[in-house]
Amino acid sequence: MKFNLLFFIRLLLRHIGLLVGVPILLGVMVFLLTQNQPKVFSSKARVYTGISSGSGIDLENTKIDYRGTGIAYGNLLNLIKSRSTLEIVGLKLFAQHMALDSADNRVISVKNYEELVETVPDEVKALVVKGNPTATYDNFVELKNSDNQNYIYELVNLDHPIYSIEKISGKIGLNRVPSSDFIDIAYESEDPAICQNALLILCDVFVRLNTEMGVNQSDVVVKYFEGQLGESTEHLRDAEDDLLQFNKKHNIINYYEQTKHIAGEKEEFEIKFFQVQREFSGAKAVLEVLESKLQTHDKKRIASQKIIDLRKELSTKNFDLAMLRMNLERDSTSMKKNAISILEAEKNIKEIENQLNAQVDTIYNTDYDTKGVASSSILSDWLQKTIEYEDAKAQLKVMEKKKLEFEKLYQVFSPLGATMKRLERKIDIAEREYLSLLHSLGLAKLRQQNVQLKSNIKLTEAPFFPINPKPSKRILLVIVAALAGFIVVTLTILILEFLDGNLNTAKRAEEKIGLEVSSIFPVIKNNDKNIDYEYIKNKAVTAISRNIILNQFKKNEDEKPVVNMLFSTQEDEGKTFICQNLIANLCELDYSILHVTYDTTDLVIDHPKYSKVTYPISDRLFRISSIGEFDVENTIPDYNIFDFVILEIPSIIKNPFPVKLASTMDYTFLVTRANRAWTESDKNALRLFNEATTGPEPTIILNGVKVLEMETVIGELPKKRSIIRRWVKQLVQFRFFTKKSVA
């Protein structure tokens, strides 16, 4: 049997009673159980969140963050159904009801109020402040927080139908209106007043909690950055003070400009110092040459005391002039005084040079005549070089002094640079930290303002007082119960069918037993009048007979009779029934049949070519080696007159079987029922049978298969079908263009 759509339909049709009865039973049960179902009222509120399109301070950033928006909506919906929110709602609702002096249909129905008053203990009633739900709520909260075994704690945490967290959570419905900033909040209750008031309390509570949560979070961030900014300001101020004290201590106005100026002056000084050294050396060398050319009496005269004094004075004045010229003062007053002093010093030097020149001229005019022109020229050159020499010598002394001052200045400024770098780096780090914290504080304050604006959730549609209850779901529940029953039964049937370990079909029998199926025989039920069981039985018997007759032609004509042995591993497999129908069919075909069996039941076959030999079941069967040994009374004179011998032996698990004879059988058939499992004992018995015999390998006659399985042998079953049934069968088999004839 193929597992196609037709197979599943037939499988379900075999259990049509369960498929119809169970759904009807479940539907009736649900209908009866829900006949006293209370009416349920529903109210709805709509709030505007402003999460997606709400205004904020950051107007430049107009891009919508869909991920952030989704998270914000998720947070809001979770806040609405959070345990803390529902606990507050339950307590406030309870306090509102308990604060009433009498039942008010706008707050709670009379029935519910009377039941509430009867169940609340006196110690809780003592906490009620009539007409003041707020004070009553505060007292209830204090009692709840005192321990976990008081009435209020159990009221909200257990399963009270009105005030418990679990029940309130199950009655709340949340839904975001698509493509908008609106959220619909629905609430269901059997009391319309409770439905409206619980929803009002819920909206008030979650709006307040949302605002507090957002503002508190932003306040904490702002306070954190304000504290960090204060500390950073102190660090920056301390670093700047350290630099200021360092500059004061070392008289630094602008370290980098000062060092740049000093470096420039030193470079200029080095050039001038080299030039003065060169002039000094040149003047000294020339002066020595000129003095070497003078005669001895000339040398004595220029070494007079007067000339030596003038040279010393000239040297002193040149030194003073050089000192004035090397003055580093740069303010206007000092520069003006210095210029005047330089002019006076130059004037004095000029006078000394004139005096020295006059003194030399006087010496030569007195001591020499006109013949001394050459000496006069040498003395004139000597005088000029002496002046240059004294000038360069004075400048060189001053520059050497200034050079020492530059070296000392470098020794002072060199280590100051490294310290200055450290102090400036410290200030830079502190300043960056300060600016970063200042920027973060600005962003935190901006976010704080945005949170305050976006946390302003508004109730746009207040909860209404429901008048009409919601339509009952009773019919829907009945339908669902019936469908559930049908589905469960269907799945159970399919699962049991696929998990069924029975042989059932020829294909499964071949897979489990390991032998080839030669024939199948259906189970006969006469309760279905639409199926021609007699026709099917005849076809099945004919199929078995055909296999036996065809086997006859495989033997020589003189090798008679053809011995066919039918055996089974278990009892009650239907061997006798198969033999009865098989022999009857062969007799009708005018074959001579000898039936050798252990069953004494009369097969009621009245045919001249039919003979029967009955043998008892005993251990003697092990020793039987020929068919004639079964006929203890010698009732059969000649076995060659028979065309076929049908040997039926008992079950091989519980009874002995003729091992020697089995090896001489022409054909052996294993008869087994289709409606049983093939067990390990069957496998072992068949394995021993095959090992003990050397005859041909047995084939299977599968007995008691389902009638539908016969379609694999005889084709479509002979059955009365209407046109619709034939059309449906072709439809489920996808045989849309099948015809009964060529035309």
Side-chain angles (χ1 to χ4, degrees):
M1 178 67 69
K2 295 182 178 180
F3 295 104
N4 50 26
L5 183 58
L6 181 61
F7 166 78
F8 289 109
I9 292 176
R10 286 172 171 175
L11 176 63
L12 296 179
L13 289 176
R14 289 205 307 268
H15 303 87
I16 190 66
L18 286 175
L19 290 172
V20 174
V22 172
I24 292 176
L25 178 62
L26 290 178
V28 171
M29 289 177 61
V30 172
F31 181 80
L32 295 175
L33 291 174
T34 58
Q35 61 182 354
N36 296 323
Q37 188 178 16
K39 296 180 180 179
V40 177
F41 295 87
S42 177
S43 182
K44 185 182 74 172
R46 175 168 291 184
V47 295
Y48 175 75
T49 62
I51 293 176
S52 300
S53 60
S55 61
I57 294 177
D58 190 8
L59 299 177
E60 295 181 358
N61 186 14
T62 57
K63 185 178 178 180
I64 298 177
D65 183 6
Y66 290 100
R67 184 172 181 272
T69 300
I71 292 174
Y73 274 109
N75 292 337
L76 185 60
L77 297 180
N78 287 326
L79 176 64
I80 295 174
K81 299 199 73 171
S82 67
R83 182 178 181 84
S84 58
T85 302
L86 300 183
E87 181 178 300
I88 296 173
V89 172
L91 281 179
K92 281 184 174 291
L93 189 63
F94 180 62
Q96 184 186 49
H97 295 163
M98 292 301 297
L100 294 174
D101 293 323
S102 60
D104 187 350
N105 287 326
R106 295 173 300 177
V107 178
I108 185 173
S109 64
V110 176
K111 177 184 177 182
N112 288 330
Y113 180 77
E114 291 176 351
E115 292 178 354
L116 177 64
V117 172
E118 291 178 359
T119 56
V120 175
D122 294 337
E123 59 269 18
V124 176
K125 292 179 180 178
L127 301 175
V128 176
V129 180
K130 293 295 184 180
N132 192 341
T134 303
T136 304
Y137 169 77
D138 294 336
N139 294 336
F140 288 165
V141 171
E142 184 178 357
L143 176 61
K144 182 188 74 70
N145 295 333
S146 61
D147 57 71
N148 58 2
Q149 294 182 350
N150 56 75
Y151 178 81
I152 300 297
Y153 186 88
E154 294 177 354
L155 181 75
V156 296
N157 287 282
L158 293 182
D159 56 351
H160 194 280
I162 299 177
Y163 310 111
S164 66
I165 296 172
E166 181 181 356
K167 296 299 182 181
I168 294 175
S169 176
K171 296 176 181 179
I172 296 174
L174 300 176
N175 180 40
R176 179 189 173 188
V177 180
S179 303
S180 71
D181 283 338
F182 291 96
I183 292 179
D184 288 337
I185 307 174
Y187 193 85
E188 296 180 353
S189 177
E190 298 173 10
D191 190 332
I194 293 178
C195 185
Q196 181 188 29
N197 287 281
L199 201 51
L200 284 170
I201 295 173
L202 175 63
C203 293
D204 177 71
V205 170
F206 96 81
V207 168
R208 177 174 55 81
L209 291 177
N210 181 71
T211 303
E212 291 177 355
M213 183 174 62
V215 173
N216 288 340
Q217 289 178 350
S218 58
D219 286 347
V220 170
V221 175
V222 170
K223 289 180 181 179
Y224 168 78
F225 282 115
E226 286 178 345
Q228 294 295 315
L229 186 64
E231 294 180 4
S232 179
T233 304
E234 292 295 329
H235 294 162
L236 180 60
R237 187 179 292 112
D238 293 342
E240 291 175 343
D241 291 341
D242 292 342
L243 181 62
L244 178 61
Q245 294 300 324
F246 178 81
N247 290 338
K248 286 182 179 180
K249 181 179 179 180
H250 299 283
N251 297 321
I252 297 174
I253 299 175
N254 189 326
Y255 176 80
Y256 299 102
E257 290 296 328
Q258 286 179 261
T259 53
K260 183 179 179 182
H261 177 70
I262 291 172
E265 283 195 348
K266 187 175 186 301
E267 184 179 358
E268 183 180 353
F269 170 80
E270 292 289 345
I271 296 172
K272 191 173 182 181
F273 181 73
F274 176 75
Q275 182 180 358
V276 171
Q277 276 185 326
R278 186 178 61 186
E279 291 175 357
F280 173 76
S281 299
K284 182 179 179 181
V286 173
L287 192 61
E288 290 177 351
V289 172
L290 292 173
E291 287 180 351
S292 66
K293 291 180 180 182
L294 292 174
Q295 298 179 2
T296 305
H297 63 274
D298 292 332
K299 293 179 180 180
K300 291 181 180 180
R301 289 183 179 278
I302 62 176
S304 64
Q305 187 65 38
K306 184 66 174 176
I307 291 176
I308 290 172
D309 291 340
L310 288 173
R311 287 183 66 178
K312 288 182 178 179
E313 186 177 1
L314 179 62
S315 177
T316 302
K317 294 297 183 180
N318 281 328
F319 179 79
D320 293 338
L321 178 61
M323 288 295 293
L324 291 172
R325 286 176 177 172
M326 293 298 294
N327 194 355
L328 299 177
E329 297 291 340
R330 288 294 179 263
D331 59 281
S332 59
T333 304
S334 299
M335 290 175 65
K336 186 176 181 180
K337 290 180 180 181
N338 195 46
I340 295 173
S341 300
I342 290 173
L343 291 174
E344 291 179 355
E346 289 176 346
K347 184 178 180 182
N348 292 333
I349 290 171
K350 191 66 177 177
E351 291 177 355
I352 295 172
E353 289 177 352
N354 291 334
Q355 291 178 10
L356 184 61
N357 190 22
Q359 187 66 29
V360 172
D361 289 343
T362 301
I363 293 173
Y364 279 94
N365 288 331
T366 304
D367 295 337
Y368 295 92
D369 53 11
T370 56
K371 295 179 181 179
V373 175
S375 298
S376 176
S377 176
I378 292 172
L379 287 172
S380 177
D381 292 339
W382 175 85
L383 178 61
Q384 182 65 34
K385 292 300 178 183
T386 299
I387 293 171
E388 292 178 1
Y389 173 75
E390 293 298 334
D391 183 29
K393 182 180 179 181
Q395 290 186 38
L396 190 60
K397 288 182 179 179
V398 173
M399 285 188 170
E400 288 177 348
K401 185 177 180 181
K402 288 297 181 183
K403 185 177 181 181
L404 293 175
E405 291 181 2
F406 271 117
E407 290 177 355
K408 291 181 180 179
L409 195 60
Y410 265 71
Q411 290 177 356
V412 173
F413 269 82
S414 293
L416 294 181
T419 306
M420 179 72 74
K421 283 287 186 183
R422 287 198 297 268
L423 293 174
E424 289 179 345
R425 187 162 55 248
K426 183 178 179 181
I427 292 174
D428 182 61
I429 293 173
E431 186 177 10
R432 289 184 182 182
E433 181 184 6
Y434 173 81
L435 293 176
S436 176
L437 290 171
L438 185 63
H439 177 68
S440 299
L441 178 61
L443 292 178
K445 288 187 175 181
L446 181 65
R447 180 173 176 80
Q448 182 184 41
Q449 296 300 319
N450 277 329
V451 169
Q452 289 178 353
L453 288 175
K454 291 187 176 182
S455 297
N456 188 20
I457 298 176
K458 296 180 180 179
L459 184 64
T460 57
E461 292 184 13
F464 57 88
F465 188 93
I467 299 175
N468 297 321
K470 293 179 63 177
S472 176
K473 297 181 180 179
R474 188 180 184 188
I475 301 300
L476 179 61
L477 293 175
V478 171
I479 295 174
V480 169
L483 288 176
F486 179 82
I487 293 173
V488 169
V489 173
T490 301
L491 291 177
T492 303
I493 292 172
L494 294 177
I495 291 172
L496 292 178
E497 178 68 23
F498 285 109
L499 295 180
D500 187 8
N502 294 341
L503 299 177
N504 289 335
T505 65
K507 182 178 181 181
R508 187 180 295 183
E510 289 179 347
E511 292 175 354
K512 290 182 176 294
I513 300 175
L515 298 177
E516 182 181 354
V517 175
S518 60
S519 301
I520 61 176
F521 199 88
V523 59
I524 304 300
K525 296 180 180 180
N526 296 321
N527 54 355
D528 190 351
K529 302 301 183 182
N530 293 324
I531 298 178
D532 190 351
Y533 282 101
E534 189 65 27
Y535 173 81
I536 295 173
K537 184 179 72 171
N538 292 334
K539 287 292 185 182
V541 173
T542 302
I544 299 173
S545 302
R546 182 171 59 247
N547 290 332
I548 292 177
I549 294 171
L550 291 176
N551 291 336
Q552 181 188 25
F553 296 107
K554 297 178 183 179
K555 296 186 65 175
N556 295 327
E557 189 68 27
D558 55 347
E559 294 180 356
K560 281 190 176 184
V562 178
V563 182
N564 299 276
M565 183 172 70
L566 277 68
F567 72 98
S568 64
T569 57
Q570 303 284 353
E571 296 178 351
D572 299 325
E573 298 288 345
K575 295 189 298 295
T576 303
F577 178 76
I578 296 293
C579 289
Q580 179 183 12
N581 289 277
L582 174 62
I583 293 171
N585 185 258
L586 292 174
C587 289
E588 289 179 2
L589 297 175
D590 203 29
Y591 286 103
S592 297
I593 307 299
L594 173 61
H595 182 203
V596 181
T597 179
Y598 62 91
D599 193 346
T600 58
T601 305
D602 186 8
L603 298 184
V604 194
I605 300 176
D606 186 13
H607 197 278
K609 292 190 176 184
Y610 167 70
S611 299
K612 179 179 179 181
V613 174
T614 305
Y615 64 89
I617 300 175
S618 66
D619 292 339
R620 179 175 171 273
L621 291 176
F622 284 123
R623 297 190 298 273
I624 293 178
S625 59
S626 65
I627 295 296
E629 295 181 24
F630 286 104
D631 187 11
V632 180
E633 298 178 357
N634 295 321
T635 57
I636 306 298
D638 185 10
Y639 289 94
N640 292 327
I641 64 173
F642 297 105
D643 295 308
F644 300 101
V645 175
I646 307 299
L647 173 60
E648 181 182 354
I649 65 174
S651 63
I652 62 176
I653 290 180
K654 298 181 179 181
N655 301 287
F657 62 91
V659 178
K660 294 181 179 181
L661 180 63
S663 61
T664 64
M665 292 294 101
D666 294 318
Y667 301 100
T668 57
F669 297 93
L670 170 64
V671 180
T672 182
R673 287 182 287 108
N675 60 350
R676 75 176 184 90
W678 190 253
T679 63
E680 288 295 325
S681 61
D682 295 315
K683 294 179 182 178
N684 294 330
L686 182 60
R687 177 174 55 82
L688 292 173
F689 180 84
N690 290 330
E691 291 177 355
T693 60
T694 58
E697 186 179 53
T699 59
I700 302 171
I701 297 178
L702 190 61
N703 186 25
V705 299
K706 296 174 183 177
V707 176
L708 296 176
E709 182 68 16
M710 292 302 298
E711 286 189 346
T712 60
V713 177
I714 65 174
E716 186 173 350
L717 297 178
K719 189 176 183 179
K720 297 180 181 179
R721 298 181 179 90
S722 63
I723 297 177
I724 296 177
R725 289 193 63 178
R726 288 197 298 270
W727 181 82
V728 170
K729 183 178 179 180
Q730 291 181 356
L731 179 65
V732 297
Q733 289 181 304
F734 303 104
R735 298 175 181 175
F736 305 108
F737 304 103
T738 301
K739 303 295 182 180
K740 291 186 177 181
S741 61
V742 177

